[in-house]
Each structure stands twice: as structure tokens, then as C-alpha cells.
Amino acid sequence: MIKQAIIPLAGLGTRLLPLTSVFAKELLPINGKPGIEYILDECIEAGIKEVVFIISKKKQMIKNYFYNDKFYKKIIKKKKDPRIIKEYKKILKYKKMIRFVYQNKPLGTGDAVLKTQKFIKDKFFLMLLPDDLIIKKNCSKSMINIHNRYKSSVMASMNVKKNTVSRWGIFKLSKKLDKINYLVKDVVEKPSINNAPSNKAVIGRYILPKKIFSKLSKQKPGKGGEIHITDAIQSLIYENNKFVAHIFSGKYLDCGSMNGYIKSSLEIAKL
Ligand code: G1P
């Protein structure tokens, strides 16, 4: 069973400037609710019991959001507003399941994952990238089912336009397991159009094996001088570890870019 999830939250969010100049992008409201709460709700619904947040000193605001008890208690005592009481209870529920670790240097997603090593208990864990919102169907839940069926690692995937491949991790697939699940032969971080093995991209949901930590601890920086999770996954695949690419059926919203962020509120309002 997958019971633990990790969420890298130390990113600077430059694609969303000026909104992120003094504010954490994951707390920005999407149709009246902070983006991170959508991600946490997806985890809870998928049966996750503990979530590790990787933040930085600059993103301390995220921890404060969940640890503002004094303030809530004071307001509730004064106003007795049922809406605020309900919201505070929800925050307390989240707080109970969150642990925090710090990544103060932006060395990449792989480095962020490595920071969670001491918290991970089971053989496999879930990772969600908070920029990637998937609505209409719980992607994490589907991936956990696939993990249980194939006893493998799993990554979410979607077909992207050929001229955007250099924005994503891109899969080379081998065997088709069924209509929506493929065995991964290779995965390349942000290839050029000419070097892309397909137009199937990695989207920010991963079920990873605990043994990825030993790969990450030896991992050299890759594209852009960062330590990429994609490169560690690639070395595990080369050592015959099974990874399944799952073509998810929900709707993907790229909340890390300005256009995507604006669109996400409109899409969620339609639900
Ligand atoms: C990260 C991953 C990339 C993946 C993408 C999905 O890239 O490194 O492989 O396709 O998330 O959103 P980033 O968005 O951090 O550039």
C-alpha cells in the first residue's frame, strides 16, 4: 500500500511573477482555494496518510499557513463564525498529516526528493508536483491501483504537441500493457524536438521506489545544472526496474505558468 507522499515546494515560481514576488505560488487561490489544498485533497482521497513538504526558508509562508493556530483561536473566540471554524478544522486535518523538510538551495527536483529520505518508511511512495493540477479524475488514486496491479513504479503521462517536447520529461515506451498503461524503456529530461523519443510527456505524479534515494545520492547534475528526478529514474530503468507510464484520463492544468494559472480557475469554476 502507498501511504506516504512527498511534494516539492521549494521552487521560486518565476513563471508566475509578479504574483510570486512576495507570495508562495502554491498558496495562490484557484477558484477561491489555495492550489496546494487541491493537491492535498487528491492525496487524502487516494488513501495517503502522511505528506512530506519540501520547502525552503523563502517559502516559510507555506508552513505558517498550516501553523496559524493562535490567530484562528483568537478570531474564533471573538466571532464564533461557523465558516471560519469549518475552515480551521480543515487546516488542522491537513496539518496533522504534514511533515516539513528544507531544501534551501534550488538544486533541482532530484535534490528535493533526496531531502525526504529519512521520512520514507515503505518500499514505494507517491510524489506530486504542485504545478500540475489534474481535475475530474483522481490521478494519484488510479496510479496506486496500477502500482498494486503491476507491482511497479508508475508515472503519469499525457500526449503533448511535438513542438513542446523540450518543456517536459519525454518517454520512450516499450510494451503496451493495456489501453492506458505502457512499460517505459527510457525517459529523457527536456529533449530537443529532434532527439525526443516520442510525444508522451511525464506529468507531475510519480510512484517511486525507495531505492531511488541511493541513485540520487550519487546523481550528477544534468540539464541546466540541476539534479533531475528523471535522470535517477532513467538509471533505475537501465537496471531493469519496472516503470509504467499511465496515460491519465483527468484534465491537466499547468498552474505553474501564467496562462495555465488563469485558465485553471475558469476550468474549476465549470466543474
Ligand atoms: C518537471 C520534470 C519534467 C516533467 C514536468 C511535469 O519539470 O522535471 O520531467 O515533465 O515536471 O510538469 P519542471 O516543470 O520542473 O520544469
Side-chain angles (χ1 to χ4, degrees):
M1 282 313 266
I2 308 278
K3 293 285 167 216
Q4 291 182 297
I6 67 168
I7 308 179
L9 296 155
L12 295 175
T14 49
R15 288 187 296 159
L16 284 176
L17 280 169
L19 302 183
T20 47
S21 142
V22 294
F23 208 73
K25 65 176 170 181
E26 299 81 5
L27 294 178
L28 289 171
I30 296 172
N31 196 40
K33 172 167 140 178
I36 191 64
E37 291 193 14
Y38 289 94
I39 303 281
L40 284 169
D41 290 343
E42 178 178 330
C43 288
I44 293 168
E45 207 194 295
I48 294 295
K49 301 290 177 218
E50 186 180 80
V51 183
V52 184
F53 275 19
I54 307 120
I55 60 168
S56 68
K57 279 184 199 146
K58 285 187 189 141
K59 306 282 289 278
Q60 187 63 26
M61 177 190 280
I62 295 178
K63 187 166 181 186
N64 296 346
Y65 180 77
F66 296 95
Y67 278 76
N68 213 1
D69 304 72
K70 255 193 191 162
F71 172 77
Y72 273 106
K73 281 179 185 158
K74 211 167 120 187
I75 299 284
I76 288 169
K77 206 172 160 192
K78 215 162 114 186
K79 290 198 164 179
K80 301 195 171 49
D81 180 336
R83 190 192 71 84
I84 301 177
I85 296 170
K86 199 172 147 213
E87 289 294 336
Y88 179 48
K89 278 192 180 150
K90 199 173 75 175
I91 300 274
L92 283 178
K93 188 177 98 181
Y94 293 141
K95 179 186 166 185
K96 253 196 194 161
M97 65 189 291
I98 307 172
R99 303 279 166 276
F100 290 86
V101 286
Y102 287 80
Q103 183 200 25
N104 287 322
K105 288 186 200 139
L107 298 178
T109 310
D111 177 66
V113 174
L114 192 55
K115 303 281 188 231
T116 67
Q117 184 168 17
K118 61 174 184 282
F119 286 107
I120 300 301
K121 297 180 202 115
D122 300 330
K123 261 185 158 173
F124 288 89
F125 60 96
L126 173 70
M127 172 164 80
L128 304 95
L129 301 184
D131 282 357
D132 296 350
L133 217 59
I134 300 171
I135 56 168
K136 294 191 177 165
K137 179 131 200 223
N138 190 320
C139 183
S140 296
K141 201 172 176 181
S142 308
M143 287 173 61
I144 291 173
N145 286 336
I146 291 152
H147 162 78
N148 292 339
R149 192 185 322 154
Y150 295 110
K151 307 279 169 273
S152 64
S153 300
V154 187
M155 288 186 276
S157 178
M158 138 183 128
N159 293 323
V160 296
K161 290 198 183 104
K162 196 89 192 153
N163 61 357
T164 69
V165 285
S166 62
R167 150 80 185 85
W168 317 93
I170 298 289
F171 289 117
K172 185 175 187 177
L173 301 170
S174 58
K175 205 175 137 201
K176 188 172 180 172
L177 296 168
D178 55 56
K179 253 189 184 165
I180 46 171
N181 297 301
Y182 296 81
L183 273 185
V184 179
K185 198 170 186 183
D186 201 354
V187 62
V188 197
E189 183 65 13
K190 302 188 171 69
S192 64
I193 298 185
N194 293 334
N195 292 327
S198 75
N199 69 332
K200 288 195 163 46
V202 179
I203 298 301
R205 301 288 182 278
Y206 307 71
I207 291 177
L208 298 169
K210 202 177 177 176
K211 55 173 134 164
I212 198 141
F213 293 121
S214 68
K215 283 277 166 277
L216 285 169
S217 62
K218 289 176 247 148
Q219 183 87 36
K220 299 252 153 62
K223 275 250 155 74
E226 289 187 11
I227 298 174
H228 293 287
I229 193 68
T230 314
D231 297 340
I233 291 170
Q234 196 177 37
S235 8
L236 285 177
I237 293 170
Y238 290 165
E239 287 172 13
N240 288 323
N241 290 282
K242 204 157 108 184
F243 275 77
V244 170
H246 167 64
I247 313 285
F248 61 91
S249 51
K251 188 175 172 57
Y252 168 70
L253 303 168
D254 175 13
C255 297
S257 73
M258 194 55 97
N259 272 339
Y261 170 65
I262 293 165
K263 220 176 119 192
S264 61
S265 280
L266 302 174
E267 287 292 336
I268 290 179
K270 280 195 245 160
L271 290 179

